[in-house]
Amino acid sequence: MGLDSREYVYQRFSEFYKDPANAVPAPPLPHKREFGYLTFKEKFMVRHRRFEQIANFRTVLADTVPSDVYHSCAYYENPDFDMDKKGWIGSDVVFDIDADHIPTSCNKIHDEFRCVKCGFEGRGLTPEECPCCGGTKFETKIWACDLCIASARDEVAKLLDMLEKDFGFSQDEVRVFFSGHRGYHVHIESEVVRSLDAMARKEIVDYVTGLGVAVLEKEDREQGARRKKKLSKKFNLHNYGWNRRLKVGMQTFLENASPEDLKEVGLRNKALLESKDTIIKRAITEGKWESIQGVSVQTWLKLAEHIREVQAAKIDTVVTTDIHRLIRMNGTLHGKTGLKKVEFKPKELQTFDPFTGAVAFKKGKVKVLVSDAPEFRMSGETLGPYKNQTLELPVAAAVLLICKRRAEVVP
Ligand SMILES: [Zn+2]
Ligand SMILES: [Zn+2]
């Protein structure tokens, strides 16, 4: 980012935080939380700040103009003390769902990474370790397209369904946010979850991601072919939690599957589709899994395993288990996009459009030189694709492209 462009974005961020209309909402019990932010120009992380009044923090935001703003999910006796002396009281349960962790068909098109150590380059999901040198630092150029957002949204839908139906949280207890980049945050701030330790949170993560969901014990799976009769008695799904999810998932799959879908799952059993109504009724509804000729319990196991993968919610597991985690603050700007983290109602998940609802800069235009940008949407307008073009863009679109290092302001 050139100096002029950086100054331009800084000025827009500054205006945003100085405008009382953008006053950031306070999280519950702000005086018990740690606040932190990344300084705009030096990219220095300021942490361990405590504010008795949220108004004081708003003043800090207006004065310092950070690029990214965070607060702890945890509550502390002394949020401004060193980590080991803070006095942990409890923590919200937080889920992070980000296209960074979901293999989408679009990341091969718009995401690039380059190993800082050896220069190895590639497209798609950034690996954890460089396949050439084992390095773990990468320069990335990533984009957020509608498909990325839609993939993340599908995962959120699964998560919300589990939180409501399997864990019993009400819609009022679950807060959903667009993260400001290409994902979502789900917060549960009820008192009942605050005291959960890291182990308990790991259990929640395992449940949500379907880890360890086994419809049969390992030895039974291995002996499957030989002890068919006995096995069918053990393959018995009840109507709650993951068991129900597997049953509903298998039924939906069979109702809609093409022969190609079956093949993809590794099933070549044509009988499954030819008489699917009977199969669904006898096996899934009545639980007589072994009663259909040519459809073995092994087939059901294979299908159940596929459904488990499909139904699991792909969350960033580290975020949920970390009881000291900092999370982006609601109502603040994302330094990589200029979009806001914003809350919406769980029931609005399918209709909330980040490229409208999270737009922070709604007025004005600015002349920019765009080096390279795919087609994108902003405030209801479709823009791009652009390649080495000088043009006037709405401020929100220009800020996005500058933050993504795809454009520079033309002075
Ligand atoms: Zn490398
Ligand atoms: Zn995408």
Side-chain angles (χ1 to χ4, degrees), residues 82-154:
D82 283 347
M83 218 63 217
D84 53 340
K85 299 194 178 67
K86 275 183 169 27
W88 189 86
I89 301 169
S91 173
D92 303 329
V93 169
V94 170
F95 300 91
D96 180 20
I97 297 100
D98 198 292
D100 288 357
H101 296 93
I102 308 165
T104 58
S105 54
C106 54
N107 61 33
K108 286 239 171 6
I109 299 167
H110 57 57
D111 292 357
E112 298 162 32
F113 59 88
R114 185 176 177 280
C115 173
V116 172
K117 211 163 130 198
C118 78
F120 176 81
E121 288 179 328
R123 283 181 170 268
L125 278 187
T126 305
E128 274 175 25
E129 269 184 23
C130 172
C132 277
C133 74
T136 53
K137 277 220 167 91
F138 296 91
E139 279 169 2
T140 56
K141 206 171 174 184
I142 59 174
W143 188 253
C145 76
D146 280 326
L147 200 61
C148 292
I149 305 281
S151 314
R153 194 169 53 216
D154 288 347

Side-chain angles (χ1 to χ4, degrees), residues 186-246:
V186 174
H187 298 200
I188 300 169
E189 293 157 347
S190 315
E191 236 178 308
V192 289
V193 303
R194 279 185 199 156
S195 60
L196 295 176
D197 62 11
M199 283 302 288
R201 286 162 204 258
K202 178 74 171 58
E203 291 287 337
I204 296 176
V205 165
D206 288 352
Y207 187 90
V208 163
T209 56
L211 193 77
V213 171
V215 285
L216 280 178
E217 299 297 326
K218 188 163 174 275
E219 62 194 271
D220 291 328
R221 276 201 307 268
E222 283 163 359
Q223 292 177 355
R226 272 178 282 139
R227 294 166 42 202
K228 200 177 156 203
K229 274 275 148 56
K230 265 191 182 167
L231 192 67
S232 64
K233 282 203 188 79
K234 289 188 181 177
F235 186 77
N236 179 21
L237 300 176
H238 57 67
N239 287 323
Y240 305 97
W242 265 103
N243 278 224
R244 181 181 67 83
R245 284 178 194 285
L246 292 176

Side-chain angles (χ1 to χ4, degrees), residues 156-165 174 176 186 346 349:
V156 177
K158 288 186 266 177
L159 172 65
L160 293 181
D161 195 62
M162 286 189 223
L163 292 176
E164 195 187 320
K165 298 207 177 94
V174 178
V176 192
V186 174
L349 178 65

